[in-house]
């Protein structure tokens, strides 16, 4: 239940709200990214299985084991628990690593461009709020100021 308290703090931070809005604006792109990533996992996992499955003591025992290798390699985690041993497998692994680096970099440009657009809209709104707060606080000082000075004058005269 403590996590709900932390989540309630998000509503007080304009920048966190901005980030959530940008991510919500990118839902379609992120969904397409996930679908394409899953296709890559299954394609490269299947290719790797058919290349490596005839080796003795291979770790690529099924297509799903190979898909695990593909997930780990495409996400650039690279646990090292499974690795190709044939030259064909090493070639496919090299291609997979290159493709996954490009694949991980491309959606960042979309998200960053949408964030920049949203932040440009956020800046003027934030400036207006600051100006309003400054005007309200300066008006408060003007009201307090003369009363404070009168009290000082009357205290010094007595």
């Amino acid at each position: 239940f403590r996590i709900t308290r932390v989540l309630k703090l998000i509503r007080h931070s304009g920048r966190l709200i901005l980030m959530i809005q940008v991510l919500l604006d990118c839902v379609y792109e992120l969904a397409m990214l996930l679908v394409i990533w899953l296709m890559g996992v299954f394609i490269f996992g299947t290719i790797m299985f058919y290349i490596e499955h005839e080796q003795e003591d291979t770790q690529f025992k099924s297509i799903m084991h190979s898909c695990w290798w593909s997930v780990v390699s495409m996400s650039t985690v690279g646990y090292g628990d499974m690795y190709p041993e044939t030259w064909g497998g090493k070639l496919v692994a090299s291609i997979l690593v290159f493709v996954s680096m490009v694949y991980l970099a491309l959606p960042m440009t979309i998200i960053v461009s949408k964030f920049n657009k949203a932040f440009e809209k956020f800046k003027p709104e934030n400036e207006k709020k600051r100006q309003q707060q400054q005007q309200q606080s300066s008006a408060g000082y003007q009201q307090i100021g003369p009363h404070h000075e009168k009290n000082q004058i009357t205290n010094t005269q007595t």
Side-chain angles (χ1 to χ4, degrees):
F1 292 112
R2 291 181 184 179
I3 191 76
T4 57
R5 291 181 188 169
V6 173
L7 293 176
K8 286 180 182 179
L9 290 175
I10 291 175
R11 66 179 169 204
H12 298 294
S13 175
R15 293 185 183 185
L16 285 176
I17 292 171
L18 177 69
M19 286 178 42
I20 291 169
Q21 287 175 347
V22 169
L23 288 176
L24 290 175
D25 289 344
C26 296
V27 167
Y28 178 75
E29 289 87 355
L30 293 174
M32 288 302 297
L33 179 72
L34 180 65
V35 168
I36 294 169
W37 184 75
L38 287 172
M39 287 173 41
V41 165
F42 287 119
I43 290 170
F44 279 102
T46 304
I47 291 170
M48 189 59 76
F49 170 74
Y50 285 113
I51 291 174
E52 292 285 325
H53 81 281
E54 294 177 357
Q55 288 289 89
E56 291 180 24
D57 297 329
T58 186
Q59 297 168 345
F60 298 90
K61 297 176 182 155
S62 69
I63 290 179
M64 293 314 289
H65 280 93
S66 300
C67 286
W68 168 250
W69 169 83
S70 184
V71 166
V72 170
S73 298
M74 285 182 78
S75 63
T76 67
V77 173
Y79 288 130
D81 57 344
M82 296 175 71
Y83 50 89
E85 296 178 8
T86 63
W87 66 271
K90 291 178 182 178
L91 179 66
V92 169
S94 299
I95 293 169
L96 172 73
V97 169
F98 177 75
V99 167
S100 64
M101 283 190 303
V102 171
Y103 174 78
L104 289 174
L106 287 177
M108 288 301 130
T109 58
I110 295 169
I111 293 171
V112 166
S113 68
K114 286 195 175 198
F115 182 78
N116 282 338
K117 288 177 186 176
F119 192 70
E120 289 300 319
K121 291 178 185 175
F122 176 75
K123 282 169 72 174
E125 292 173 8
N126 202 15
E127 287 297 321
K128 287 179 186 177
K129 287 180 184 177
R130 280 189 190 160
Q131 288 175 356
Q132 288 174 354
Q133 288 175 349
Q134 286 177 351
Q135 288 173 354
Q136 289 174 353
S137 63
S138 64
Y141 286 129
Q142 290 172 357
Q143 290 174 359
I144 295 172
H147 298 296
H148 183 66
E149 292 173 3
K150 276 186 183 178
N151 289 341
Q152 285 183 347
I153 294 171
T154 53
N155 288 341
T156 54
Q157 291 176 354
T158 53

